[in-house]
């Protein structure tokens, strides 16, 4: 996969986009690795089956809160995902953006 320029609240710099597997509900997981050391930087997605939603094929639920704040804008601008197709309400005012993977990543 191509290298992206990661920019979040606490992580900045080149990162590799990886797909380490699926969550229990079958939805895709995305993890970002340091482009030089291949050490994990962050998990970009979350499973929200407990909130009654599983994304369709080629869609992911982005973790855009807490230490991942700003990740959604980064992934959209870097061409990993398209703008959210919907948002699912979570706890404590958190919303979970659901995004389609771009053809380069699907």
């Amino acid at each position: 996969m191509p290298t992206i320029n990661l920019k979040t609240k606490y992580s900045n710099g080149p990162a590799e986009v990886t797909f380490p597997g699926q969550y229990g509900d079958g939805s895709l997981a995305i993890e970002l690795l340091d482009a030089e050391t291949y050490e994990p930087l962050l998990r970009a997605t979350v499973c929200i089956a407990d909130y009654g939603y599983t994304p369709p094929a080629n869609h992911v639920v982005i973790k855009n809160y807490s230490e991942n704040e700003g990740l959604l804008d980064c992934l959209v601008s870097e061409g990993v995902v398209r703008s959210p197709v919907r948002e699912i309400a979570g706890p404590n005012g958190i919303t979970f953006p659901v995004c389609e993977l771009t053809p380069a990543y699907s």
Side-chain angles (χ1 to χ4, degrees):
M1 289 291 158
T3 299
I4 66 166
N5 184 31
L6 177 62
K7 184 170 175 143
T8 66
K9 187 173 184 177
Y10 298 111
S11 297
N12 293 294
E16 295 286 327
V17 178
T18 65
F19 295 87
Q22 297 177 328
Y23 294 104
D25 68 350
S27 60
L28 290 174
I30 297 176
E31 187 172 67
L32 298 177
L33 307 177
D34 183 287
E36 294 178 13
T37 66
Y38 298 104
E39 293 291 321
L41 294 171
L42 57 89
R43 180 64 60 106
T45 55
V46 291
C47 175
I48 59 170
D50 289 346
Y51 297 98
Y53 184 80
T54 297
N58 291 323
H59 288 70
V60 291
V61 180
I62 303 299
K63 181 183 180 200
N64 194 49
Y65 56 90
S66 190
E67 69 276 2
N68 285 17
E69 188 177 322
L71 181 61
L72 175 62
D73 289 340
C74 172
L75 294 177
V76 170
S77 69
E78 291 289 326
V80 178
V81 299
R82 298 184 193 281
S83 294
V85 295
R86 69 183 297 181
E87 291 190 349
I88 307 298
N92 304 315
I94 293 172
T95 58
F96 299 105
V98 179
C99 301
E100 182 180 12
L101 294 169
T102 62
Y105 289 89
S106 54

